[in-house]
Amino acid sequence: MTQSLSLAQLASLPEAVARPRYAREALRPGILHIGVGNFHRAHQAVYLDDLFNKGRDLDWAIIGAGVRAGDAAMRRALEPQDWLTTVVELEPGANRARVTGSMIGFVPVGEDSGAIVDALDDPFIRIVSLTVTEGGYCIDPATGAFNPDHPEIRYDASHIDSPKGVFGVLLAALKRRRERKMTPFTIMSCDNIPHNGRVTMDAVAGLADLIDPSLAAFVREEVAFPNSMVDRITPATTDRERAILEERFGIRDNWPVFCEPFRQWVLEDHFPTGRPALEEVGVTFTPHVAAFELMKLRILNGGHAAIAYPAGLLGIHFVHDAMADSLVRGFLDKLETEEIIPHVPPVPGVDLSEYYHLIASRFANPDVGDTIPRLAQDGSNRQPKFILPSTRERLKAGADVTGLALESALWCRYCAATTDAGEPIALNDPNAERLTPAALGARDDPRAFLALRDIFGDLAEAPQFRSRFETALNSLWRDGTPVTLQRYLGGNLA
């Protein structure tokens, strides 16, 4: 018998499904989270659910919020089930389901985001957390700096009392709190961006610079932006996951979350307005967040990019199938071992080789069902953060970049929007309209793709990178992905 998820049905769920051990009505809001997607509900919301199950810090419940159409869709899905989420941890032979209740409300999603600003008037909201994707921070990809000319920033600078973007919302709320002499909330980014706290401060304060220098000074001096590193592989939810949930656990959830068992959260302890005792449920508080963050971005996120594009060109759909392909797995192992890991600085208490082997086993988990299209999306924002920094490090050290240039060439070939077999690829990237023409032009002149200076910056003029890129791309077009990967693995591509 299948039951729809709701508070009224919690007690009658199958015994195998874990559920909140705390009284939901005892929770009080302390965190407003912007960008309620699968990752947030598999990560931050789970940590808080664990803490509440210990009877601790019940005044730190989550209120959801958002500024995009996807946020409105999530709100519509969660409202009928009283903001509950079913989280299924996928491990071969040991799948586990739990219902989390740490979210207790969701601000209506409107055109002008006024409802979020009003919600942030509540003095009990002491933390605003964010998962708005790597591309949501208005960063110039070539420089890594805040871009004050971004259209969203320009609009909100002129309409700060009715903003549309996330940073306009945050600044409007901080402005109101300042005028009312209320303590500012802490802003905690949970996105995969190097120094994400600083990047978030640059965006909020950079917007304020366009409006009122004194407001910008207030943001920089009075608002806390702790850095963080977050990790948990969380694929998109499809009808496949909904069906599995109903068949195996007897629950009908409008938007369940499926994820791997592994999770990690590393935080800088900079919360002047207070915080929940997350260290009691496995969160690491350390002043060395940047080291953990760099390790994860280069090795895990860079690894995702390394397998996404060759697998996509070979027509492979699932990540675990890509890991079972000897050429894709061989490319990943060689690239990580020879060109990425040697330029990752030491991390306290972590063996980088062991960390990589853990990541490879996570990628290979067949129950997770993560997909190549998910890993391949948004490359124009992810490449400058996950791959190109490693390329620059090696060039700076005078080291060869054959593998990293091949990864960039694979991305270029993928952006041409066809597989090796000629099947169409749906390119999921905000810059798809200019990526595909550039990638097609690069078939005859590889420099046409490197001319995307907002992505490649000065790498386009680095002789070794340009030469290796051209060699790899020509091989991909002329001989295909398998032959090109074989040449790289055999040391014959350079």
Side-chain angles (χ1 to χ4, degrees):
M1 177 180 170
T2 300
Q3 299 184 41
S4 295
L5 184 61
S6 70
L7 278 174
Q9 296 295 327
L10 270 182
S12 57
L13 292 179
E15 290 186 6
V17 178
R19 66 212 73 185
R21 299 193 299 271
Y22 47 88
R24 192 93 177 303
E25 61 271 17
L27 297 182
R28 296 291 179 269
I31 299 172
L32 186 140
H33 182 83
I34 300 177
V36 181
N38 279 13
F39 180 78
H40 164 72
R41 293 183 298 139
H43 193 266
Q44 181 181 340
V46 169
Y47 279 103
L48 285 164
D49 192 66
D50 285 344
L51 190 61
F52 299 159
N53 278 331
K54 288 175 169 281
R56 289 294 310 271
D57 295 346
L58 302 182
D59 59 339
W60 285 102
I62 299 166
I63 299 292
V67 299
R68 308 293 186 205
D71 300 310
M74 182 66 73
R75 187 181 190 279
R76 288 193 298 271
L78 297 182
E79 185 174 20
Q81 53 198 55
D82 303 305
W83 320 114
L84 300 171
T85 289
T86 311
V87 178
V88 180
E89 294 184 354
L90 298 157
E91 190 166 17
N95 293 348
R96 296 179 295 274
R98 65 186 287 181
V99 173
T100 63
S102 51
M103 179 182 290
I104 59 173
F106 203 125
V107 178
V109 181
E111 271 295 312
D112 63 359
S113 306
I116 307 180
V117 178
D118 290 342
L120 290 172
D121 257 350
D122 184 345
F124 288 99
I125 297 296
R126 289 150 284 166
I127 295 174
V128 179
S129 53
L130 309 174
T131 45
V132 295
T133 77
E134 296 86 359
Y137 285 77
C138 305
I139 298 170
D140 181 333
T143 65
F146 170 69
N147 177 14
D149 292 320
H150 190 284
E152 186 174 282
I153 295 299
R154 282 293 174 187
Y155 178 90
D156 283 353
S158 300
H159 303 83
I160 194 58
D161 292 325
S162 56
K164 291 185 177 180
V166 60
F167 302 111
V169 167
L170 294 172
L171 186 62
L174 288 169
K175 177 174 176 285
R176 188 183 296 183
R177 283 201 173 203
R178 180 186 181 219
E179 290 166 352
R180 299 183 183 186
K181 301 190 184 306
M182 294 170 60
T183 302
F185 43 75
T186 295
I187 300 176
M188 177 178 68
S189 170
C190 296
D191 281 301
N192 287 317
I193 297 176
H195 310 287
N196 54 11
R198 189 206 68 207
V199 168
T200 308
M201 182 186 72
D202 288 347
V204 179
L207 174 57
D209 282 329
L210 303 176
I211 300 168
D212 176 0
S214 69
L215 180 59
F218 170 78
V219 169
R220 291 187 172 98
E221 295 168 9
E222 302 295 333
V223 182
F225 295 86
N227 290 299
S228 72
M229 184 271 264
V230 296
D231 190 8
R232 191 172 213 183
I233 295 173
T234 310
T237 300
T238 68
D239 287 342
R240 169 184 177 270
E241 284 72 34
R242 294 183 181 90
I244 291 172
L245 184 64
E246 291 194 28
E247 292 167 6
R248 295 186 187 175
F249 298 102
I251 300 175
R252 183 177 296 111
D253 185 326
N254 292 328
W255 208 320
V257 174
F258 281 50
C259 57
E260 65 171 339
F262 178 90
R263 54 184 156 114
Q264 185 178 24
W265 194 359
V266 182
L267 264 173
E268 182 182 13
D269 201 353
H270 183 37
F271 293 85
T273 54
R275 63 167 177 82
L278 292 166
E279 65 272 19
E280 294 196 8
V281 289
V283 175
T284 299
F285 285 92
T286 175
H288 306 295
V289 171
F292 285 89
E293 184 179 59
L294 185 64
M295 171 186 74
K296 190 249 180 176
L297 294 176
R298 298 280 179 89
I299 300 176
L300 185 145
N301 296 109
H304 267 161
I307 64 175
Y309 303 114
L313 291 170
L314 293 172
I316 299 172
H317 182 71
F318 287 107
V319 174
H320 61 270
D321 288 333
M323 292 296 287
D325 183 279
S326 60
L327 291 176
V328 176
R329 176 62 187 265
F331 173 55
L332 174 68
D333 286 342
K334 184 176 172 69
L335 180 66
E336 291 273 14
T337 302
E338 296 183 2
E339 297 192 25
I340 294 178
I341 293 174
H343 295 274
V344 175
V347 180
V350 178
D351 181 301
L352 294 180
S353 178
E354 290 179 3
Y355 178 75
Y356 168 64
H357 289 301
L358 170 63
I359 283 171
S361 69
R362 291 165 59 195
F363 289 178
N365 183 342
D367 278 30
V368 171
D370 202 5
T371 66
I372 293 301
R374 186 187 80 86
L375 302 192
Q377 69 185 3
D378 205 18
S380 62
N381 282 306
R382 295 180 175 184
Q383 288 280 311
K385 298 176 180 69
F386 303 156
I387 292 293
L388 300 182
S390 294
T391 306
R392 286 190 169 87
E393 287 287 332
R394 286 189 66 78
L395 290 173
K396 183 179 178 181
D400 189 74
V401 293
T402 299
L404 288 162
L406 172 56
E407 196 285 334
S408 293
L410 285 160
W411 176 50
C412 173
R413 174 64 186 84
Y414 184 90
C415 288
T418 57
T419 68
D420 276 15
E423 296 296 322
I425 290 173
L427 192 61
N428 186 356
D429 193 294
N431 292 302
E433 290 185 359
R434 62 192 182 97
L435 289 175
T436 297
L440 290 171
R443 182 170 189 171
D444 296 321
D445 180 6
R447 290 171 295 182
F449 199 71
L450 297 181
L452 298 167
R453 291 304 182 95
D454 59 321
I455 296 170
F456 289 100
D458 57 358
L459 279 176
E461 301 302 325
Q464 187 195 131
F465 173 72
R466 188 174 65 232
S467 172
R468 298 286 191 261
F469 176 85
E470 292 179 1
T471 297
L473 187 61
N474 288 335
S475 176
L476 287 168
W477 277 116
R478 182 182 62 248
D479 302 314
T481 301
V483 170
T484 303
L485 292 178
Q486 287 167 355
R487 285 181 180 142
Y488 170 67
L489 294 176
N492 301 313
L493 185 61

